[in-house]
Amino acid sequence: MPPKKRSSGTTQNKEMKSGTEIASPDKKESPELSVKKHRDKDTEFLTLCKGLHVTDMVCDQAWKLWKTVQDSMDQATGDQKRLWGACLFVSATDMDVPCFTVTQVLKAVSMNLKQFVALVRKLDVNLDTISTKVNSVLTRLENKYDVTLALYQRFEKTCKKIFALVSDEKERETMRSCWTMFLLAKGRALQMEDDLVISFQLLLCSLELFIKRCPPDLLQPLYKSAISKVQSPPTRTSRRNQSKARSRPAEPEMDLQLLKTLCDENECNTEEVKNVYQTSFSAFLDSLDQSKSPDFPQVSDLNQQYEEHYLKSRDIDGRLFFDRDETVLMPKVEISQVERTPKKNLPDEEAVMIPPQTPIRAAMTSIQQLRGDLTSSGDQPSTNLATYFKNCTVDPTQDVLKRLETLGLAFSQRFGQAVGPRCVLLGRQRFTLGVRLYYKIMEAMLKSEEKRLSVQNFSNLLNDSTFHTSLLACALEVVMATYGESSFRTGGYNHGGGDVAETDVCFPWILDVVNLSAFDFYKVIESFIKADPTLSKDIVKHLETCENLIMERIAWRTGSPLFELLKQEHEGGAAEQVETPASFSQPLQHNHTAADLYLSPMRPGLRVLPPESPATPSSQASSQPPTQSGGQVPRLPKSNSLSLFYKKLYRLAYLRLKMLCSYLLSSHPELEPIIWTLFQHTLQHEHELMRDRHLDQLMMSAMYAICKVKSVDLRFKTIVTAYKNMPNTSQETFKHVLISEGHYDSIIVFYNQVFMQKLKTNILQYASTRPPTLSPIPQIPRSPYKFPNSPLRVPGSNNVYISPLKSSRMSPGIMTPRSRMLVSIGESFGLSNRFQKINQMVNSSDRSFKRTLDLGSTPKPLKRLRFDVDGQDEADGSKSGGDSTLIQKLAEMSSTRSRMQEQKMKEDAESRKE
């Protein structure tokens, strides 16, 4: 647990001493290091331990870890101290002993944070070296650092526009106080300190406070005039009236005009910042007794209070950004690598260059676009939507409104619990935007259904509570993702790392808030995307990743309706197989609507066809009645939603397997279809193995099993090493696998005790002279999530694309795609040399294309990788004796990865052409 807050008058240059006082208040609980107990350890290591005030237990654990990884780390002698620091960090984090802060260990080993995080992750040479808890802490630390860095860069840039540089020393002192106050405000107002948008809004509030209290001669004209518009000259008010004004308990002072100026200059919504000011920031000022003070807060007071917060959090000292300290510096980027684009084209003038897309600019642009798209949408159903409601046999209006009221309260309260105690109102604002999007998408869906079916009575659909909840949850997820509050940092895992679950609003957080199953949520995703062509490509990709996360893990949790559907299918004789293998060769039809999936979970299906028979196209499945021919058992209705789910699941599974095979088995291409057959068989006939597990766990187990029976030397450690290089993977997948109820272990234990035991007979069949019939390879279709506004390749060229103008709001001058030059046909383009610049860009594209494929040097193979407590490497108990094989496989991975990426780029270009 973090140490209790304690008053401290220390400053930055005394932080090591104060860190000791804060971290070790109880001598019995955290005794000082006893050198006599550690005579077996290196003297310099003990000196580092004493400097960081670690306990005997942490010292022992760190040294044990160091000895474990020592032979596996190919480091120069001079880097030994850095490795010790990494081992101490891992040990203290795992044991939850508050010895030192992250900044203190960074200073002790002379590293910046990015280097240190990379080094700690490099220690992970064994499955049990870096725990999921440590990995979670690292991820949160890295996220917080990235957010703080982006905020400081914007702060520095904004201050240059605010201050007049009359006195550099005075200006720097003011800026330092403002930055420290902001860090303190963020720390106190937000539990989720890696929230970029709310943090940025708090920064604008802090700037507003300092600007209006700043002497006019320190300000640039824009901000000097913004203040003068709202503040009356002192001579206009008598002293008597001033005295009365001071005695009144008025609202905290807020200069609306100044705040609006700051928001406009930073492309931020004024109303949102105003609400942040009135809730979180005002309460923070009250805690400092600064609400009515006309003066700046005392620097010493701010430093003291921030020092307490920083020591309690035990991570990085945010003040060091202002000092340009080496521990928080980023590697310098050459100016030639900074991507810039021209502003709106002006005749007879050179293009005006604007800065690259920064995290804050990207977030503000996304929010601006979302709010703009919902301008015409109201907080109540539109006239058209109300008409659809009235046309229903049972009017759903009251149920819809009551549901929104209940879920709105739940969402805003849970948002406040996760983000910050005074952020409930902000949660309500997010919910209001979500409701507008919910109404907008619902109306678009109903119009599409009316056109498709020529009916106007949608009573069954509009009185389905699950449909409404799913649609609302999807809308809220879009809003959360737009504001950067939802991502995939945990990959759907909610364990490990202290209070991570309490402050993590990443998907699938929203499902828990509205009490919705992941399987029901999946049904609405595709229709939602099709119903709103204004969704950005990033948001579409986010929703597609949500869908993949559901299919590979979340829908398989105990209690999911997926298992009930599977039970009905198999027990009712609906099908021997959820989806016939013969249909794999058929294109995946993306013509299912939300109405199909919610209203008709049971639809007439097809006869069970032998593998060699041609399958009826799935697009006809919903319109054909059950067929019964002589000698065949009639097939009961099959679930439409389950059928589509399995079709998508098989294709996702095969794509991931194909990628892993390309890394590891390029010299054995004949094994891929065999591994796929075992993998597909498992998903189809042994789906209980997926309960509370991950799709990739079965994939890696199937690969190892087939290689074993085919006598191909592929170690499990090699599979895991390659798997970590695949996109969208998490170490929890192979470190935290369910073995039995409540018991988790590594994937090798899962293979030994569960997978192999369940499938042993089937696996051995592949070693016989008459192996099982191979499953057909699923056809890999183009993504159903087409982007109507995506750039189209100009015929005959590889690097020139045209894109339709999305809306009149977004002019070419506002749009700033990275490393692209915009030409708006019909508008003046200016000088002819700009076309020459385009030609130069096209001609030099080969170089930039190669740069995008440059993944750096081949990763150095891990010299040791332990999977179980006995030190055995493999499922059969053998020890690794073939490092040369591993080196060869990893070398193949590097070259194959480049080839795969090049092929993917080519396929993407072809799909755009289509």
Side-chain angles (χ1 to χ4, degrees):
M1 294 296 291
K4 295 180 180 180
K5 184 179 292 188
R6 179 175 169 179
S7 178
S8 171
T10 57
T11 55
Q12 293 177 69
N13 61 351
K14 297 180 181 179
E15 71 174 19
M16 291 293 289
K17 182 179 178 181
S18 62
T20 311
E21 293 171 356
I22 295 292
S24 306
D26 189 339
K27 295 295 180 183
K28 294 180 181 179
E29 188 174 336
S30 301
E32 292 183 1
L33 191 71
S34 173
V35 179
K36 293 181 180 179
K37 295 181 180 179
H38 305 288
R39 292 175 179 173
D40 59 323
K41 301 177 180 62
D42 190 287
T43 305
E44 291 185 16
F45 174 77
L46 293 179
T47 301
L48 178 63
C49 290
K50 289 181 68 177
L52 291 172
H53 307 282
V54 304
T55 64
D56 286 326
M57 290 178 61
V58 171
C59 180
D60 282 334
Q61 184 64 28
W63 185 254
K64 181 181 178 181
L65 176 59
W66 158 247
K67 300 303 288 184
T68 300
V69 304
Q70 186 177 14
D71 296 335
S72 304
M73 301 297 291
D74 186 14
Q75 293 283 327
T77 308
D79 290 335
Q80 184 170 271
K81 187 176 181 180
R82 294 181 169 185
L83 285 168
W84 288 340
C87 290
L88 286 167
F89 171 81
V90 170
S91 301
T93 302
D94 261 330
M95 300 171 72
D96 200 20
V97 179
C99 304
F100 47 78
T101 69
V102 174
T103 290
Q104 287 168 356
V105 75
L106 291 178
K107 286 185 173 294
V109 298
S110 302
M111 293 185 77
N112 67 51
L113 186 127
K114 286 290 187 180
Q115 292 173 327
F116 185 75
V117 169
L119 181 62
V120 173
R121 290 207 164 109
K122 196 174 181 181
L123 293 180
D124 201 8
V125 294
N126 303 309
L127 276 183
D128 54 354
T129 303
I130 304 298
S131 66
T132 55
K133 179 179 180 180
V134 172
N135 190 61
S136 176
V137 169
L138 282 177
T139 301
R140 295 181 69 196
L141 182 64
E142 210 168 9
N143 289 333
K144 182 177 178 180
Y145 170 80
D146 290 339
V147 166
T148 309
L149 177 64
L151 290 166
Y152 181 73
Q153 289 172 339
R154 176 56 70 96
F155 169 78
E156 200 170 43
K157 177 182 175 183
T158 304
C159 283
K160 290 179 181 178
K161 297 180 180 180
I162 293 173
F163 296 106
L165 296 174
V166 176
S167 170
D168 185 58
E169 183 180 345
K170 207 169 188 179
E171 177 203 348
R172 291 290 294 174
E173 183 182 345
T174 303
M175 288 174 60
R176 180 185 294 276
S177 297
C178 183
W179 177 247
T180 306
M181 172 178 264
F182 158 68
L183 291 173
L184 185 59
K186 180 166 74 80
R188 289 190 179 176
L190 299 180
Q191 291 170 198
M192 203 169 72
E193 288 196 63
D194 56 353
D195 188 300
L196 178 65
V197 174
I198 302 178
S199 296
F200 179 55
Q201 292 168 341
L202 280 170
L203 178 59
L204 295 182
C205 293
S206 301
L207 285 167
E208 185 269 354
L209 180 78
F210 273 78
I211 291 171
K212 69 191 177 191
R213 297 182 182 182
C214 195
D217 61 339
L218 283 183
L219 299 176
Q220 296 274 18
L222 175 64
Y223 291 95
K224 190 186 299 184
S225 60
I227 296 175
S228 64
K229 291 178 181 177
V230 294
Q231 291 188 344
S232 302
T235 54
R236 295 184 181 179
T237 306
S238 66
R239 292 184 178 179
R240 181 183 301 175
N241 289 337
Q242 285 180 352
S243 176
K244 289 180 180 179
R246 288 196 192 98
S247 64
R248 285 198 302 267
E251 288 295 314
E253 175 191 9
M254 179 172 61
D255 189 329
L256 283 176
Q257 180 61 38
L258 176 57
L259 200 64
K260 185 177 186 308
T261 302
L262 274 167
C263 292
D264 291 346
E265 287 291 300
N266 288 278
E267 302 165 317
C268 197
N269 183 271
T270 305
E271 192 62 29
E272 289 187 356
V273 180
K274 176 184 172 184
N275 287 327
V276 169
Y277 198 115
Q278 292 175 330
T279 53
S280 300
F281 193 66
S282 289
F284 165 70
L285 292 180
D286 286 339
S287 71
L288 295 182
D289 196 23
Q290 282 288 321
S291 295
K292 302 299 179 185
S293 172
D295 303 317
F296 292 130
Q298 291 293 321
V299 179
S300 57
D301 291 343
L302 290 175
N303 265 327
Q304 176 181 329
Q305 294 190 51
Y306 178 74
E307 183 90 6
E308 292 177 8
H309 169 76
Y310 147 66
L311 291 171
K312 183 179 179 180
S313 67
R314 289 159 41 195
D315 52 26
I316 52 177
D317 186 345
R319 294 169 296 187
L320 298 179
F321 286 94
F322 192 87
D323 297 326
R324 294 180 174 84
D325 190 89
E326 61 178 7
T327 61
V328 293
L329 284 179
M330 282 289 287
K332 293 183 179 179
V333 181
E334 294 182 12
I335 191 66
S336 60
Q337 294 177 334
V338 178
E339 297 170 329
R340 296 174 176 271
T341 53
K343 267 191 174 179
K344 189 171 181 178
N345 308 302
L346 303 174
D348 303 324
E349 289 183 17
E350 283 299 318
V352 180
M353 306 308 288
I354 63 174
Q357 187 83 316
T358 63
I360 292 178
R361 175 176 281 110
M364 295 303 107
T365 301
S366 298
I367 294 169
Q368 185 182 21
Q369 179 179 318
L370 175 68
R371 297 181 70 92
D373 291 336
L374 297 177
T375 301
S376 58
S377 303
D379 300 335
Q380 298 294 325
S382 67
T383 304
N384 289 338
L385 192 54
T387 301
Y388 281 119
F389 288 172
K390 291 176 183 177
N391 287 339
C392 293
T393 306
V394 178
D395 191 334
T397 304
Q398 292 306 313
D399 284 343
V400 167
L401 296 178
K402 186 176 180 180
R403 185 182 302 108
L404 289 177
E405 182 181 356
T406 303
L407 294 180
L409 182 62
F411 178 87
S412 54
Q413 291 293 334
R414 289 287 297 275
F415 184 91
Q417 290 171 14
V419 179
R422 296 186 178 273
C423 294
V424 174
L425 178 59
L426 302 183
R428 172 58 68 175
Q429 290 177 321
R430 304 283 194 275
F431 187 81
T432 299
L433 283 176
V435 169
R436 292 178 181 177
L437 184 57
Y438 157 78
Y439 282 143
K440 174 187 175 182
I441 299 297
M442 193 194 310
E443 183 176 339
M445 283 183 176
L446 295 176
K447 285 180 180 178
S448 177
E449 287 293 280
E450 180 181 4
K451 184 177 180 181
R452 184 173 75 100
L453 303 174
S454 300
V455 296
Q456 294 180 326
N457 185 346
F458 298 103
S459 188
N460 288 340
L461 179 65
L462 293 179
N463 282 282
D464 188 301
S465 177
T466 304
F467 163 71
H468 283 286
T469 305
S470 302
L471 186 60
L472 177 64
C474 197
L476 290 170
E477 182 63 25
V478 168
V479 172
M480 294 287 284
T482 301
Y483 277 82
E485 284 145 344
S486 181
S487 62
F488 302 102
R489 289 191 291 264
T490 61
Y493 291 83
N494 290 325
H495 58 269
D499 62 348
V500 172
E502 297 175 9
T503 60
D504 187 359
V505 295
C506 303
F507 186 82
W509 176 81
I510 189 64
L511 303 184
D512 184 48
V513 172
V514 300
N515 193 24
L516 180 70
S517 76
F519 185 75
D520 285 323
F521 183 83
Y522 123 86
K523 299 176 188 177
V524 83
I525 294 175
E526 190 170 323
S527 293
F528 189 102
I529 293 172
K530 289 179 178 179
D532 190 358
T534 66
L535 290 176
S536 70
K537 189 170 183 177
D538 286 340
I539 292 298
V540 172
K541 186 176 180 181
H542 177 88
L543 292 178
E544 189 174 9
T545 309
C546 289
E547 184 180 73
N548 289 343
L549 198 59
I550 289 170
M551 290 190 291
E552 68 189 21
R553 176 176 171 83
I554 308 176
W556 299 98
R557 290 176 178 171
T558 297
S560 169
L562 174 60
F563 288 106
E564 184 60 33
L565 270 177
L566 285 167
K567 182 180 177 182
Q568 292 173 7
E569 288 280 323
H570 290 274
E571 288 185 355
E576 292 181 11
Q577 307 174 66
V578 178
E579 191 59 37
T580 59
S583 68
F584 290 173
S585 58
Q586 299 293 328
L588 180 58
Q589 302 294 324
H590 298 292
N591 57 356
H592 298 280
T593 66
D596 288 331
L597 303 182
Y598 286 100
L599 288 184
S600 305
M602 302 298 290
R603 283 292 181 95
L606 307 174
R607 292 180 293 109
V608 178
L609 302 173
E612 64 274 9
S613 301
T616 306
S618 59
S619 60
Q620 301 174 15
S622 61
S623 60
Q624 290 186 346
T627 309
Q628 182 176 4
S629 59
Q632 284 190 319
V633 179
R635 175 176 171 175
L636 297 178
K638 117 175 165 177
S639 167
N640 199 24
S641 59
L642 184 60
S643 174
L644 180 62
F645 180 85
Y646 254 81
K647 284 180 179 179
K648 289 189 172 186
L649 175 69
Y650 284 151
R651 282 159 177 79
L652 175 65
Y654 178 70
L655 280 172
R656 296 187 70 74
L657 176 64
K658 184 178 179 66
M659 182 179 293
L660 191 59
C661 286
S662 72
Y663 286 169
L664 298 171
L665 297 174
S666 58
S667 58
H668 296 279
E670 74 283 357
L671 293 185
E672 182 188 297
I674 302 175
I675 298 169
W676 165 244
T677 301
L678 176 60
F679 191 15
Q680 186 271 327
H681 168 87
T682 308
L683 293 173
Q684 178 179 314
H685 297 289
E686 304 292 348
H687 55 260
E688 274 295 321
L689 283 175
M690 278 294 296
R691 185 183 293 273
D692 296 322
R693 296 192 179 98
H694 195 292
L695 181 70
D696 293 346
Q697 293 163 357
L698 271 61
M699 173 183 70
M700 288 185 278
S701 297
M703 174 175 281
Y704 180 80
I706 295 301
C707 287
K708 206 70 180 172
V709 299
K710 292 296 184 180
S711 300
V712 173
D713 183 21
L714 182 64
R715 304 280 174 172
F716 228 126
K717 63 181 180 182
T718 314
I719 296 175
V720 170
T721 304
Y723 176 76
K724 289 195 290 188
N725 284 280
M726 291 174 61
N728 302 317
T729 59
S730 171
Q731 67 163 347
E732 282 87 347
T733 305
F734 54 85
K735 287 190 176 184
H736 195 84
V737 190
L738 177 67
I739 308 301
S740 58
E741 185 177 356
H743 173 56
Y744 293 81
D745 212 313
S746 70
I747 191 170
I748 196 70
V749 177
F750 165 72
Y751 178 88
N752 283 332
Q753 299 184 10
V754 182
F755 188 87
M756 187 176 65
Q757 301 301 325
K758 189 76 174 176
L759 293 163
K760 188 173 184 178
T761 303
N762 185 270
I763 291 171
L764 290 176
Q765 290 178 0
Y766 294 95
S768 69
T769 54
R770 300 185 63 184
T773 304
L774 296 178
S775 296
I777 300 299
Q779 179 177 340
I780 306 302
R782 216 172 87 187
S783 171
Y785 309 116
K786 300 173 186 176
F787 308 109
N789 292 327
S790 293
L792 300 176
R793 182 166 61 87
V794 175
S797 90
N798 293 324
N799 301 289
V800 178
Y801 294 83
I802 57 173
S803 178
L805 190 61
K806 191 164 187 179
S807 70
S808 57
R809 294 184 300 102
M810 300 294 284
S811 69
I814 297 177
M815 294 187 292
T816 56
R818 301 178 69 181
S819 68
R820 296 290 183 270
M821 184 174 287
L822 297 175
V823 180
S824 181
I825 305 301
E827 290 189 9
S828 172
F829 188 58
L831 300 176
S832 61
N833 64 355
R834 291 181 183 167
F835 283 108
Q836 294 174 1
K837 290 182 180 179
I838 293 180
N839 289 334
Q840 291 172 2
M841 287 167 58
V842 173
N843 292 334
S844 63
S845 62
D846 288 343
R847 194 186 316 118
S848 61
F849 177 71
K850 290 176 182 176
R851 188 166 60 244
T852 61
L853 296 180
D854 183 14
L855 300 177
S857 58
T858 304
K860 189 175 289 290
L862 305 176
K863 294 184 179 178
R864 293 184 352 183
L865 186 61
R866 187 173 69 252
F867 282 85
D868 59 8
V869 294
D870 297 325
Q872 307 292 344
D873 287 320
E874 303 305 323
D876 59 3
S878 65
K879 290 180 179 290
S880 172
D883 282 343
S884 59
T885 305
L886 175 59
I887 294 172
Q888 179 184 352
K889 295 299 179 186
L890 290 173
E892 290 175 3
M893 282 170 50
S894 179
S895 61
T896 306
R897 189 186 311 135
S898 297
R899 182 158 40 82
M900 288 283 291
Q901 293 228 1
E902 186 173 356
Q903 179 64 27
K904 186 178 184 302
M905 299 273 291
K906 195 176 296 181
E907 289 173 358
D908 288 345
E910 288 300 319
S911 71
R912 289 193 184 96
K913 181 179 180 182
E914 294 171 8

